[in-house]
Amino acid sequence: SDRLTLALCRMRGAALKLGQLLSIQDEHVIPKDSPLRAVIDRVREEAEQMPTDQLFTVLRDNLGEGWREKLEGFEEAPLAAASIGQVHRAKTLEGMPVALKLQYPGVADSIDSDISTLSFLLTPLAPRGLFLGTALKELRVAMVAETDYRAEARMTERMRELLASSAPAFRVPRVAWELCGDR
């Protein structure tokens, strides 16, 4: 169980996303005393943050060599970390606070291989009644969509337009396109 948990924590993307999806399942689907439940709970709690040198590489790859000149401020410690990336507080040159989402390197490119590995590792632990194959197919679809940060930015802008007449009841942040990259 410890080796499996460590392997899944290092996989980040698909492993953590599956943990999120499965952790909300009813106890009838994944009982509390199930070995799978124990692994899922530990993976969710023990996710590793992006090391600083890797963080700076992601910023350079997406925003260019002079990424620091595009920001008035940037907090190196993540505000939040999730299955496919982490979020950092930053401030644009105009002084606007932003949440800068940075994707873990390789997450988008390894979705299919990660899901294949998950299937191999978790099938023996899956309780009867859990349709792991179906869950993994849904996971793949969700991850492909979630790793497309430009599409997410376009949808955020669209929601901003649709809800503009509802202000101040709804506030949708403005996308700082000058800080948008693929990942």
Side-chain angles (χ1 to χ4, degrees):
S1 157
D2 287 339
R3 286 181 26 204
L4 176 59
T5 301
L6 182 61
L8 293 176
C9 284
R10 288 190 176 144
M11 284 176 70
R12 291 184 178 151
L16 291 180
K17 182 57 70 178
L18 181 66
Q20 288 174 344
L21 293 173
L22 293 178
S23 68
I24 61 172
Q25 298 301 310
D26 185 87
E27 284 183 33
H28 293 91
V29 178
I30 304 175
K32 274 188 175 179
D33 59 351
S34 161
L36 181 58
R37 171 66 68 187
V39 169
I40 289 167
D41 290 344
R42 284 192 54 206
V43 167
R44 195 178 62 244
E45 293 168 10
E46 297 177 20
E48 297 178 6
Q49 290 182 11
M50 202 182 310
T52 305
D53 58 331
Q54 189 178 59
L55 169 67
F56 292 156
T57 299
V58 170
L59 285 160
R60 235 184 349 269
D61 289 350
N62 285 278
L63 300 178
E65 282 295 328
W67 66 269
R68 283 197 185 270
E69 285 81 46
K70 295 179 180 183
L71 299 167
E72 183 180 303
F74 175 78
E75 291 185 17
E76 289 182 24
L79 175 65
S83 58
I84 63 171
Q86 54 194 46
V87 179
H88 293 261
R89 283 190 172 127
K91 196 174 273 194
T92 66
L93 294 176
E94 295 79 32
M96 179 177 73
V98 294
L100 200 56
K101 287 181 67 173
L102 302 171
Q103 196 171 114
Y104 299 129
V107 167
D109 298 329
S110 66
I111 293 170
D112 289 330
S113 64
D114 283 356
I115 289 178
S116 177
T117 301
L118 285 171
S119 178
F120 175 77
L121 292 173
L122 298 179
T123 297
L125 299 175
R128 233 175 58 206
L130 175 67
F131 300 101
L132 188 61
T134 302
L136 290 175
K137 285 179 189 171
E138 290 300 317
L139 174 65
R140 183 190 181 287
V141 170
M143 288 202 62
V144 167
E146 287 185 37
T147 54
D148 187 345
Y149 281 9
R150 288 189 189 272
E152 180 181 358
R154 288 190 299 275
M155 291 299 109
T156 300
E157 285 291 309
R158 180 70 180 129
M159 284 301 290
R160 185 176 167 81
E161 292 168 15
L162 291 171
L163 295 173
S165 64
S166 300
F170 294 99
R171 229 177 93 192
V172 179
R174 181 178 71 80
V175 173
W177 287 104
E178 68 277 11
L179 300 175
C180 287
D182 292 334
R183 311 276 188 243

